[in-house]
Amino acid sequence: MNPSAPSATAHPGDPSDLESTLASLAAAAARHAARSPRERADLAEATARSVAAATDAWAETAAVIKLRSRAVANDGIGGGTESVPSGGVPGSLAEEIATGPLVTLRLLTLTASALRAVDRDGLPWSGPLRIVHPTTGDVRTSRVEVPVLPAPGLFDRVIFGGFSAVVRCGDPGGLDRFRAVWREEVASRPAVDGVAVVLGAGNVTGLAAADAICQVFEHGRAALVKLHPLHEPLTATLARALAPLVESGMVAFVVGGADVAARAIASPSATHVHLTGGTATYEAIAASCSKPITCELGSVTPWIVVPGEYSPRELAFQADAVAGSIINNGSFNCIATKLVVTSRSWRQREAFLDRIRFRLAEAPPRPAWFPGVVANWETLAGRPAPDDGTLPWLFRTGLDREAEGHWVGREWFLPACAEIAIGGDSMEEFCVNASELAGSLPGSLAASVTMPGRGDPRDLRRAEALVEHLAFGVVAVNCWSAVAYAMAGVPWGGFPAATRAKPKSGIGFVHDPLLLPLVHNSIVRGPLASRLLPPFLPWHPRAAPLAREVVRLYDGGGLLSIARMLPNLRVAG
């Protein structure tokens, strides 16, 4: 235990308490800068074990937080937490495990592995690299591709079977030069020190923890974590989960309102601000603060369905994935699908949409727990919300963007999605129109593309070019882009053209344990269909036990954990 570490949770009624916490964090960051990669790896591993131990408390508290009344969602933040219902924990428990402790544990494990590789070889990764030319072969558009899946030692061929992920980085002049630039990045970036004020989002409980971890290990900064008011009941649990970082003085949690955040940002001890949240909050901070800001601000997330011939199994699997991306977490996700893009002339369009409608109709409405969501739902739906405190799923097909542009003119943080059928008599025309539409939407965080596995080779090549040129931080092929976040080793953030004045989906990246330089964007790929039911789908009946076993696997459970998963697997149908 570091005697000079700040307490796990500060309640800064007196501004001097906040200043004292920030000063302690600054001193810890200076000490952290002198730690060797091996020592940092040890710290990451110890924190991973602590997170695993806190899994149940973390996920169950998070699930209870979301059993909020309609009045809370409409009028503001309520105090306290409710008890877990007598019938057991909510059905969303699997989502809370996956997006809270599980992804945090995986990030820490990848971080420790990368730091051990740095200690041994000077680079966090020694796998193959390749230069690709997404357009004409002109060197100005070449990219260095770094495959980041499967990650060593994490049983990824089991957990992410059928998936791949590559990070595309700028080409500084060949692979030898890229490795040299990478070594410079590895040596310099984690030694920045200073203190980041981390302003956590209110929708997913793992975001603030991951943001703090990335500040510590990817930038060398200590982190003052200001949780969203919704997550204040989790403060003590998160502090226990990250106990080694708290005890080392590198992380402290603070509770309070916007005034506390403003004081922390204004403090001379704070050198950086990181925000996951809404554009309005970002604009208010950017207008009043001259310090460096990184952020993730969400997006109107598209899912493009390339026309072609899909088998009934493929069609159902992909439509289910779209529906799951709408339903997950009540659609309170920055990457919840908000616009499905289809071809007006695609003969399977109605069958695809019918499958999505079926899944949405089958899914029980979720509680309206997010602040302000009821009023926003009523604005978009054009009718009063139900009196039972839940919000039905809205799925507007055949959208006329000229007459109904409000559906996609902003990110609606509520259970709603639209579908638009665009023209294009050829694959070339469809891809051009789809690319232009996607590029005109607010944000640039992530996009998904469903592509047929067979057809005219020229059409398939054109569809592949669409994937390569979409200007989003992550492009996911045949899967929901949230898979990239779950992988924890795919840099997560908006497309890198953002500026402080025009941030779009954000500035900078998190989830970059490999400390990659010149990150352009990433492409993840999943199977067009699978025999197994994906556990992120909310109708998976054994998703929570599966998620717990993955936690045990990452915590050293090995083959025994894999064996325990088998009874919980279900066939897709």
Side-chain angles (χ1 to χ4, degrees), residues 502-514:
K502 295 181 179 180
K504 294 202 77 174
S505 281
I507 302 168
F509 293 96
V510 295
H511 279 202
D512 183 21
L514 296 182

Side-chain angles (χ1 to χ4, degrees), residues 290-344:
S290 60
K291 295 175 182 178
I293 301 176
T294 48
C295 55
E296 193 263 273
L297 305 177
S299 187
V300 174
T301 304
W303 192 309
I304 299 168
V305 184
V306 176
E309 189 64 31
Y310 297 87
S311 72
R313 181 165 160 263
E314 292 167 347
L315 196 77
F317 189 88
Q318 290 296 306
D320 283 357
V322 174
S325 74
I326 299 168
I327 298 169
N328 185 278
N329 198 34
S331 219
F332 299 115
N333 289 321
C334 58
I335 46 168
T337 298
K338 293 300 173 186
L339 183 64
V340 180
V341 182
T342 63
S343 169
R344 195 178 298 134

